[in-house]
Every structure is written in structure tokens, then in C-alpha cells.
Amino acid sequence: IDGAEQYFTRAIDFGFSKTADETVQKWDRNKVLSDVVYNIRRFRPDVVILVFSGTPRDGHGHHQASSILGKEAFSLAGDPTKFPEQLAYVQPWAPKLLMMNAGGPGGAQAKGKGGQNKAGKNTDDTPPADRLNLDVGVYSPELGASFGEIGGASRSENRTQGTGAAETKGSQLATMETVAGDKATKDLFENLDITWNRL
């Protein structure tokens, strides 16, 4: 919808899994971890965002495992001694910030697994001060829609699970938590040089 590309690992979608342990036994943990590290090295992101927490609150074992491996890959991608066979194609890369989508559109709050309840009270253990609220309802003139609208249209393409979503206009807060790196308090790039200086 927005021109981004999606890449998959060698993980096998074998149906519903109750635990992360069961999932990584069937996935070949090391191969999938290698794939995640490779893509971090390939695309060299400054910020990596996890959709899930890596805990049983995520429900599906695949969801839990994706976050567990994502956290591990974030730490390993900059280490040249890890998966050295990849260095014929890519160079080590250490992202600066690891975030988790903790609530709001598409996040744990929207799924009732954290964030805040209707009364505005936290439903998990994360203090409000440790959260970064991003307004994904901001209109993008380059894309001709808000990021919330794009997200709704994108979600509606997932026809096999019937997870269509409204293309909502107006302010929509998505809550992020800093997992690793300098804590983000204003926006995702506040501690990063995103000017031409880096080139």
C-alpha cells in the first residue's frame, strides 16, 4: 500500500502454536535468527520495531518467537563473529534503537494485551513515562493519506484471517516502548543524526 517491501525468513507457518519453545523447535531457531540478522545487515535500519513482547501475553507462539528472535538479532547484527558467512554479502550493522509497538493501532493495546483500558489505566506494568505516543493519524502529503488510513487499507488486504480495519481519519495514537538503545521520549529519531551529515 505504501510502497514498502516485506521479507520473510525460513520460518514455517505450521498452524497455531501455544508457546515460543514449541515454535522455535519446529522453525530451526538458528536459521531463522540468521535470516533476521541478515536482513538487519542488508537494510541497515537505525530503528527496529517489534510488534510483539516475546511473552505469553502475545498468545500465538509464532508471535512470541518473532519478538524473541528480533531482540536477539538486534544485539547480534553488529557483531562480525556472528554468522560470519554472511559477510561475503553484507557488513555488520548495529541499529541504534529497538522499540516495541505497545499499544494503539495494530499494537498490544488494540488487541487488549497491554496499554490502557477504557478508563485510561495501564493494563500492564509499563509506567506511562516510559512510553512514546506517536500520532499515526498525521496526513502524509507524499502518500496522499494518513498513516492510520494506510494501515487500515493494508490490514484489509489480509483476507485469509478476516482482519479488515477501518481507514480511520484524524488523530490516532500508537504507543511505543524503548526496549534497547537511548530512550525515545519525543520521537523515534530524536537521538539519531538523520541529516546529510552522516553521508
Side-chain angles (χ1 to χ4, degrees):
I1 302 293
D2 64 0
E5 295 182 60
Q6 188 169 5
Y7 293 85
F8 296 90
T9 65
R10 288 172 280 183
I12 298 167
D13 185 355
F14 58 85
F16 186 79
S17 171
K18 293 181 181 178
T19 67
D21 287 341
E22 177 192 29
T23 296
V24 294
Q25 286 173 12
K26 296 186 178 185
W27 273 4
D28 190 331
R29 186 185 201 287
N30 209 46
K31 282 184 181 176
V32 175
L33 177 60
S34 168
D35 292 344
V36 181
V37 167
Y38 181 80
N39 277 298
I40 289 174
R41 289 172 170 174
R42 180 181 177 198
F43 293 101
R44 302 165 71 89
D46 290 315
V47 180
V48 173
I49 300 176
L50 305 170
V51 177
F52 300 102
S53 69
T55 67
R57 84 177 194 192
D58 299 331
H60 200 313
H62 294 179
H63 296 171
Q64 295 175 49
S66 71
S67 184
I68 291 167
L69 296 179
K71 290 174 189 174
E72 197 170 337
F74 176 86
S75 299
L76 298 180
D79 184 345
T81 67
K82 305 300 181 187
F83 306 109
E85 69 282 359
Q86 296 179 358
L87 301 184
Y89 308 100
V90 291
Q91 295 302 308
W93 178 258
K96 305 290 188 290
L97 185 62
L98 180 63
M99 301 293 289
M100 181 183 71
N101 186 1
Q109 181 179 337
K111 297 176 177 70
K113 298 176 185 170
Q116 295 181 340
N117 61 21
K118 289 181 183 176
K121 304 222 182 212
N122 284 341
T123 56
D124 64 11
D125 298 328
T126 307
D130 289 343
R131 294 171 180 264
L132 171 66
N133 288 316
L134 300 177
D135 190 349
V136 297
V138 174
Y139 179 80
S140 168
E142 294 87 2
L143 299 173
S146 73
F147 300 105
E149 289 176 283
I150 293 166
S154 172
R155 197 78 179 138
S156 297
E157 291 296 315
N158 186 354
R159 302 183 198 283
T160 61
Q161 292 182 318
T163 55
E167 295 176 34
T168 308
K169 295 182 185 296
S171 181
Q172 300 175 66
L173 293 183
T175 305
M176 310 293 288
E177 292 173 15
T178 303
V179 177
D182 292 335
K183 185 184 291 186
T185 57
K186 296 176 186 169
D187 64 59
L188 291 175
F189 307 110
E190 66 188 273
N191 299 312
L192 303 171
D193 181 1
I194 56 172
T195 69
W196 289 107
N197 291 335
R198 67 190 296 173
L199 301 177

